[in-house]
Amino acid sequence: MFNRVGIDVGGTYTDAVYFRNGGIQCTAKVPTQSDNLVETLMNAFDTLKISDEQEINQITVSTTLVTNAILQNRIPPVKLLLFSGNGMKIDALPWPVSYTELSGEMDFRGRETEAPDQKEWEKFHLLRDNISHAAIVGKFSHRNRLHEEQLAAYLKEHNPSLTLALGHEWGQANFYRRSLTTYLNLGVSDLYRQFAQQLQTAVSARNIQAPIYILKADGGSLPLAKIRPIDSIYSGPAASVLSALTQTSPDASSIIVDIGGTTTDIGLTLSGAPLISSKGAQIGDFSTLVRSLAVRSIPVGGDSVIRTKDQGFIIEEYRLGAAYCLGGDRPTPTDAMRYLKLIDYGDEQLAEEGLASLLPPVKRTPQLLYDLAAEIIDRVVDRIAEAVDSLKREWKEEPAYKVWEVLHPHENKEFNTIVSGGGARGVTTALGKRLKTTVQLGAFSEVSNALGAALARPAFDCTLHLDTYMKQYRVEETGEQGKWTGSLRPHREVEGFLETLVQQQATHYGIEIQDMEKEPFDFFPIVQNYQTVGQIIRGAVHLRPGVIGRVKE
């Protein structure tokens, strides 16, 4: 049997769970120290009080480290250098960062149409400008990385200490998203590397041999040292979705609502599988190529600050510490839940005092306090329900959702709703009435994200693009490029080649390849002068995100 620890670092609390021999052995919840996540993680781990730590097979962490660094603009300056080529003017796009355009161009097949001008490169003074990181991205570098590598070699020769990132390593066609993804991943790389080293050192100091995995935005997990830092954004919402999979039937379709102290995360499962967004993740002003579940975070939670205004009150989109009933100095929705006896933690008298501070002294009667608390809950529920309704409309436009509808024409589209998180118990009933659907309180709702992290299985994709006429291949997910030495019109040959690439990728990540899904190959003939001179071929293999077990309460 597998024995796993899952730890989820939230904005307010960090949760942990030890899943042993098919059941939850123990759970923990500790306050998150945003300035020391490693210490927070180890505090949560130690609070589990695992008797024999050598029995642990794996530790999986869901962390807000990279997400917060980007949203709070805590990344070092990165010089973005673009081989933008001709065609659309890139300044028409909403770039959230500055960039420098360079001459040199590849066409859409990866053929050089204009060589770079090295005289432009001589103008760079990155060290003088105190720039230690540079990202180099070409419009069609995912098909030919030559210009990126030439510039990288030049910069390294003149600035050996420079840290570089090349856009072709993201392997996909969207130049704008590829540029921003390369920029962000480089920007957070030092921070993530330091975090990874400190976490591995802390775990090793306890003589724990279990490997450490990080939960990705797409719901899959990969080893700590192998994951690309930016792939870890939105791992919290992904953990919420995985948690729902651990406590529902394998073919269930559900809307997942995870109510934390700072934010509420929303996701969707279709017939036991999480919905994958067809677009890359959006984080702040940055559009990325990060593969992500179709999830959304909204800024409302149990600790959202409530303050008075001219007419009534407003629920702010931020928190300033704990709820009033838990020792804080500002009223929050948690105080309303406690006053209405919807939850059993926190001081009831303090909850009443916190709510009373929102009313004039002459209106602090039991009935008016009750009405105020009820209205606070209704406001929170309305905000969550509006987000659910909005996302349901968006999800219906997702290609994967449309395919699912075709394959499941008779399935009820009114999904059950699973609510988890610290504020779940306080809004379950009201949310059910507002959504007019069945709402289920998740098992172990206070540590649900940690449970999802603990049972997450590895996931990866390997998509091969092959141009036999150009004798070139590339792998979309890793940016690997190489020469094709096989025939111009392969069949079995290309199947074996893809299998070899998949095995190499699995070996690199240190994961086992089971339950792989293969897409049928697409073959497009290349015709010149009425003769077939080659083929463009696409094939893919997927290890889908999911969970390795289900909860036994």
Side-chain angles (χ1 to χ4, degrees):
M1 296 294 289
F2 50 83
N3 303 325
R4 290 188 170 194
V5 171
I7 304 176
D8 173 69
V9 182
T12 308
Y13 289 101
T14 291
D15 307 326
V17 63
Y18 180 37
F19 197 88
R20 182 176 182 272
N21 294 333
I24 292 180
Q25 188 77 9
C26 49
T27 65
K29 181 182 286 285
V30 301
T32 297
Q33 303 174 49
S34 58
D35 57 344
N36 197 333
L37 295 187
V38 171
E39 183 176 337
T40 299
L41 284 163
M42 299 318 299
N43 285 344
F45 180 87
D46 292 339
T47 305
L48 290 172
K49 300 186 185 303
I50 300 172
S51 57
D52 186 358
E53 296 176 345
Q54 301 310 310
E55 289 186 344
I56 302 172
N57 305 131
Q58 181 175 311
I59 300 171
T60 305
V61 174
S62 164
T63 172
T64 58
L65 176 76
V66 172
T67 300
N68 290 345
I70 294 171
L71 294 179
Q72 297 169 10
N73 196 27
R74 292 189 290 107
I75 59 179
V78 174
K79 186 74 171 179
L80 181 57
L81 306 172
L82 303 178
F83 292 103
S84 52
N86 295 308
M88 186 184 75
K89 295 294 185 181
I90 67 170
D91 58 8
L93 297 169
W95 295 88
V97 295
S98 61
Y99 56 86
T100 299
E101 291 187 81
L102 303 172
S103 60
E105 184 177 8
M106 299 287 179
D107 71 6
F108 70 98
R109 292 279 296 280
R111 297 168 294 198
E112 186 179 55
T113 59
E114 179 188 354
D117 182 0
Q118 188 166 321
K119 291 182 179 179
E120 291 181 334
W121 304 355
E122 296 171 358
K123 299 176 183 178
F124 295 148
H125 300 285
L126 300 184
L127 290 183
R128 187 194 68 187
D129 297 336
N130 198 31
I131 298 294
S132 59
H133 297 70
I136 307 169
V137 189
K139 181 178 290 185
F140 293 110
S141 65
H142 60 296
R143 295 196 171 107
N144 189 334
R145 63 194 180 193
L146 176 64
H147 291 172
E148 289 183 355
E149 291 184 335
Q150 288 176 336
L151 177 54
Y154 176 89
L155 293 177
K156 269 295 187 181
E157 179 183 354
H158 292 79
N159 305 300
S161 62
L162 194 63
T163 302
L164 298 173
L166 307 185
H168 76 270
E169 296 174 357
W170 291 91
Q172 297 183 48
N174 192 306
F175 176 53
Y176 175 68
R177 286 180 179 265
R178 182 155 36 89
S179 299
L180 295 181
T181 305
T182 307
Y183 175 97
L184 286 180
N185 193 67
L186 177 60
V188 299
S189 60
D190 291 343
L191 178 67
Y192 179 84
R193 188 179 303 110
Q194 181 183 27
F195 164 79
Q197 291 173 347
Q198 291 176 348
L199 179 57
Q200 185 63 69
T201 299
V203 171
S204 299
R206 289 163 168 76
N207 199 30
I208 299 171
Q209 304 302 315
I212 304 171
Y213 278 58
I214 297 292
L215 191 65
K216 301 192 298 171
D218 67 357
S221 61
L222 285 179
L224 177 70
K226 300 294 185 180
I227 190 173
R228 294 184 289 194
I230 197 175
D231 279 331
S232 68
I233 63 173
Y234 298 144
S235 59
S240 302
V241 174
L242 296 180
S243 175
L245 296 181
T246 70
Q247 50 198 284
T248 56
S249 62
D251 58 351
S253 298
S254 305
I255 293 171
I256 298 95
V257 178
D258 181 72
I259 305 170
T262 308
T263 60
T264 294
D265 300 328
I266 305 170
L268 179 71
T269 64
L270 300 172
S271 300
L275 177 63
I276 300 288
S277 174
S278 59
K279 299 178 181 179
Q282 180 82 22
I283 179 165
D285 295 330
F286 293 86
S287 301
T288 75
L289 290 175
V290 174
R291 185 174 171 84
S292 170
L293 300 187
V295 294
R296 177 73 60 82
S297 292
I298 60 173
V300 62
D303 292 341
S304 297
V305 170
I306 303 174
R307 65 177 180 83
T308 57
K309 63 175 186 176
D310 293 340
Q311 298 293 327
F313 65 89
I314 185 171
I315 301 177
E316 298 286 5
E317 296 185 345
Y318 55 83
R319 71 180 292 267
L320 293 173
Y324 203 95
C325 66
L326 294 171
D329 57 4
R330 290 173 175 82
T332 68
T334 296
D335 297 298
M337 297 175 196
R338 184 67 184 99
Y339 183 76
L340 296 175
K341 296 182 173 57
L342 298 174
I343 57 176
D344 57 7
Y345 56 87
D347 187 291
E348 187 173 355
Q349 183 60 40
L350 287 177
E352 181 177 338
E353 290 179 13
L355 293 175
S357 69
L358 297 171
L359 296 173
V362 296
K363 292 187 176 182
R364 293 172 183 174
T365 65
Q367 183 60 51
L368 290 177
L369 282 170
Y370 179 92
D371 293 343
L372 172 63
E375 186 177 354
I376 290 171
I377 300 301
D378 287 342
R379 294 260 195 105
V380 170
V381 166
D382 283 346
R383 197 175 294 182
I384 294 171
E386 288 169 3
V388 170
D389 291 340
S390 172
L391 285 176
K392 285 169 69 175
R393 291 190 294 270
E394 289 184 26
W395 288 332
K396 289 180 180 179
E397 298 304 316
E398 285 286 349
Y401 190 102
K402 291 181 179 293
V403 170
W404 176 82
E405 285 190 307
V406 172
L407 297 177
H408 301 81
H410 304 298
E411 185 155 340
N412 181 10
K413 303 303 188 297
E414 294 300 323
F415 303 145
N416 290 336
T417 301
I418 299 177
V419 183
S420 60
R425 296 182 186 276
V427 303
T428 299
T429 301
L431 188 60
K433 292 179 180 178
R434 173 64 172 76
L435 294 176
K436 298 179 181 179
T437 185
T438 302
V439 174
Q440 169 191 345
L441 182 65
F444 304 96
S445 61
E446 281 78 13
V447 293
S448 59
N449 281 16
L451 176 60
L455 298 186
R457 70 183 185 186
F460 78 91
D461 304 89
C462 185
T463 305
L464 171 66
H465 295 268
L466 172 61
D467 187 331
T468 64
Y469 178 72
M470 297 285 293
K471 298 186 181 300
Q472 294 176 344
Y473 78 87
R474 63 185 177 90
V475 178
E476 185 172 294
E477 289 75 19
T478 64
E480 177 184 341
Q481 298 178 10
K483 289 292 183 181
W484 170 253
T485 58
S487 62
L488 293 177
R489 302 176 68 179
H491 184 58
R492 294 290 183 188
E493 188 179 5
V494 75
E495 292 181 3
F497 184 66
L498 177 56
E499 289 177 2
T500 299
L501 291 174
V502 169
Q503 186 61 58
Q504 290 173 347
Q505 189 170 335
T507 301
H508 168 74
Y509 287 128
I511 60 179
E512 297 180 5
I513 48 175
Q514 298 177 349
D515 302 323
M516 303 292 290
E517 296 180 18
K518 294 183 179 180
E519 290 185 21
F521 278 90
D522 293 323
F523 296 87
F524 301 94
I526 302 173
V527 178
Q528 291 183 0
N529 298 324
Y530 304 102
Q531 291 186 333
T532 300
V533 296
Q535 290 179 316
I536 293 177
I537 303 170
R538 180 189 180 279
V541 173
H542 307 283
L543 184 57
R544 302 289 188 185
V547 293
I548 61 172
R550 282 180 159 72
V551 175
K552 297 177 183 178
E553 293 191 72

